[in-house]
Amino acid sequence: MEPLTDQFIISLLQEDLEQGCSKLFERYYKPLIIFAKSYTNDIESAEDLVQDVFYQFIKNKSYLTIKSNNLSTYLFRAVRNTCLNQLSQNHIITSDIEQIKYDAIDEIAPSIEPELIEQLMNAVNQLPERTRLVVNAIVLQNKRYKEVAQELDISVNTVKSLLSAGLHRLRNQFPKEYCQLLFLLFRNNSPLGL
């Protein structure tokens, strides 16, 4: 089976649009959703934005003119611009610090492999139940310690301990920079001190 390279996807889009769209979706949907969520802080908005970018890409037949080595950059840039346009239309002003974070994400995100995202999410799902719930709530859903403590009916100190244990376990499985980057992509806050 042919690897999912950008060149293969572009060729397939030009030869068999249905199969090409399927492979484009398989390769880029999850990374683009995570990327969009770093701007919107809302998974449903992120999904809508990415679907719109895919729709415009196919509708405008951009796959006929784009060079295969520019596919990743094109898609991430299109998602970024769509997100920034939406934020602008909603009069959401970003601070200089947020803009620096967005620029860093924009630079690094195209190089993230979907498999790495899948591996990290699987590792999070393998955490003990309460630890997983705390890591999901604080890191991925951007909730506060007190809020999570109330939801789980545990103390704030227990939340902190579970979070620390979960992040420690993840750091042992993945290089620090991968954890930081992926958590940064998942939340619309400054990166965690992993």
Side-chain angles (χ1 to χ4, degrees), residues 10-194:
I10 292 289
S11 296
L12 197 54
L13 282 165
Q14 293 170 355
E15 295 167 15
D16 182 347
L17 188 58
E18 187 175 328
Q19 284 292 316
C21 288
S22 174
K23 295 301 181 186
L24 178 72
F25 184 87
E26 182 181 326
R27 168 68 179 93
Y28 282 107
Y29 187 70
K30 285 182 184 178
L32 289 173
I33 293 291
I34 292 169
F35 181 62
K37 186 179 179 294
S38 71
Y39 286 89
T40 65
N41 202 28
D42 175 51
I43 193 70
E44 286 150 10
S45 295
E47 289 173 345
D48 290 345
L49 289 166
V50 170
Q51 289 170 8
D52 186 50
V53 166
F54 279 161
Y55 173 76
Q56 292 300 323
F57 181 76
I58 301 303
K59 177 184 167 203
N60 297 331
K61 298 184 179 182
S62 300
Y63 55 87
L64 294 175
T65 58
I66 194 169
K67 293 180 182 175
S68 61
N69 61 342
N70 293 335
L71 178 61
S72 177
T73 302
Y74 176 91
L75 292 172
F76 279 93
R77 182 75 32 97
V79 169
R80 177 184 191 265
N81 291 342
T82 304
C83 289
L84 292 176
N85 286 342
Q86 183 187 45
L87 292 173
S88 176
Q89 289 171 357
N90 294 336
H91 306 291
I92 299 172
I93 300 170
T94 59
S95 69
D96 290 341
I97 292 171
E98 286 175 323
Q99 190 58 48
I100 289 168
K101 180 196 77 158
Y102 292 151
D103 291 344
I105 291 170
D106 188 39
E107 184 177 313
I108 298 168
S111 66
I112 297 173
E113 293 296 321
E115 296 79 21
L116 179 61
I117 294 168
E118 202 67 40
Q119 289 171 4
L120 183 62
M121 293 313 298
N122 286 336
V124 169
N125 289 331
Q126 296 300 315
L127 294 170
E129 183 180 5
R130 279 207 168 182
T131 304
R132 177 178 42 80
L133 291 172
V134 168
V135 169
N136 277 324
I138 300 226
V139 176
L140 305 182
Q141 297 171 14
N142 201 21
K143 292 184 178 180
R144 300 192 180 279
Y145 293 136
K146 187 175 181 179
E147 182 182 1
V148 176
Q150 289 172 345
E151 287 176 6
L152 298 177
D153 197 28
I154 56 178
S155 72
V156 171
N157 284 338
T158 302
V159 169
K160 290 178 182 179
S161 295
L162 290 170
L163 178 63
S164 177
L167 294 178
H168 178 73
R169 223 167 138 176
L170 293 172
R171 278 193 303 264
N172 287 337
Q173 291 180 329
F174 297 93
K176 181 179 178 180
E177 57 274 9
Y178 288 132
C179 289
Q180 286 178 325
L181 175 63
L182 290 170
F183 289 147
L184 176 62
L185 288 171
F186 274 109
R187 63 188 297 190
N188 196 12
N189 246 346
S190 57
L192 294 173
L194 297 175

